[in-house]
Amino acid sequence: MIAKHNEQLILSGAESMMMTHRLRAMHDAILVGINTVLCDDPRLNVRLLPASEVHTCHPQPIVLDSRLQMPTTARLITSGNLPWVFTGDHHPVDKRKELESLGVQVIVVPTGDDGRLCLDAVVDVLCARGIRRLMVEGGASVIRAFLRSRIPEHLIVTTAPVTVGEGGVSVDDAPSGFSVVSTKRQTFGNDVVVASKLKYD
């Protein structure tokens, strides 16, 4: 189990959270799915590092939101570091106009037969906009989709000594078709972080 369904659950300790923010500072953009926004209301910025380690600009927040459920009160909007929101062709036009009136950039990309956004199209847009280092933070379904699309070059997993129980999200349906080329393991407080380079079959 990796988290609870539709509920915020803080598993990582302070040391590994700082590591996460250090990783954020190394990337051009941070991507999450709309469920992460609805459950966690994240800011996706860099807060837990000394000023000397933080770039002048925070990473660009990216949200995958095929039905435009993005709340106008989300901290991603009210905090000033406005997100780029990717959506599909059949989004509510009024909601798009409302988000755009707040300064949010709404970007339409194709969807598959399952209604999910085409991740290759998302990555193409990001590359065209100068994004070279993308960090995909979650949630679980977004991470699985990226792995199935064979896009990530590295996978970083944090394991915390916390029992979630039956309300958690199973990782039994983790995608296959890739192997680990090299792995580095490091302990941060009580958490163990494993960073792996991926090779696709």
Side-chain angles (χ1 to χ4, degrees):
M1 302 295 182
I2 60 175
K4 289 189 175 181
H5 287 281
N6 300 321
E7 181 180 336
Q8 184 179 25
L9 182 63
I10 299 175
L11 297 174
S12 302
E15 295 87 347
S16 60
M17 283 294 292
M18 184 175 292
M19 180 274 301
T20 297
H21 280 246
R22 184 167 283 113
L23 282 174
R24 286 181 176 181
M26 297 167 58
H27 289 78
D28 300 320
I30 312 297
L31 184 148
V32 298
I34 185 59
N35 287 337
T36 295
V37 175
L38 297 176
C39 293
D40 297 351
D41 196 16
R43 284 174 280 183
L44 302 183
N45 56 13
V46 179
R47 303 185 304 280
L48 305 182
L49 297 182
S52 60
E53 294 188 39
V54 180
H55 299 306
T56 55
C57 296
H58 289 289
Q60 173 63 50
I62 310 291
V63 180
L64 302 184
D65 184 4
S66 59
R67 294 179 291 174
L68 276 193
Q69 302 175 75
M70 184 80 178
T72 57
T73 56
R75 289 195 293 184
L76 279 174
I77 296 176
T78 60
S79 64
N81 190 23
L82 293 170
W84 297 346
V85 178
F86 283 83
T87 192
D89 292 321
H90 302 294
H91 60 272
V93 176
D94 289 345
K95 182 62 175 291
R96 174 179 179 173
K97 291 180 178 178
E98 184 179 15
L99 290 171
E100 289 178 335
S101 72
L102 297 173
V104 176
Q105 295 190 43
V106 179
I107 304 164
V108 180
V109 295
T111 56
D113 294 337
D114 58 0
R116 294 180 180 273
L117 301 179
C118 175
L119 295 183
D120 286 333
V122 171
V123 171
D124 286 345
V125 171
L126 294 179
C127 287
R129 290 181 170 222
I131 302 299
R132 296 293 178 263
R133 297 180 301 272
L134 175 66
M135 180 175 175
V136 179
E137 279 204 9
S141 62
V142 171
I143 292 173
R144 284 195 293 264
F146 267 86
L147 288 171
R148 289 192 183 102
S149 296
R150 303 186 171 208
I151 294 173
E153 297 177 351
H154 297 87
L155 179 66
I156 299 176
V157 178
T158 300
T159 304
V162 178
T163 301
V164 176
E166 295 181 356
V169 178
S170 174
V171 295
D172 291 342
D173 59 345
S176 57
F178 65 89
S179 57
V180 173
V181 177
S182 61
T183 296
K184 293 183 179 180
R185 172 189 174 111
Q186 189 167 346
T187 300
F188 294 87
N190 293 322
D191 302 339
V192 176
V193 177
V194 178
S196 302
K197 185 176 181 180
L198 303 179
K199 178 181 179 182
Y200 295 97
D201 300 339

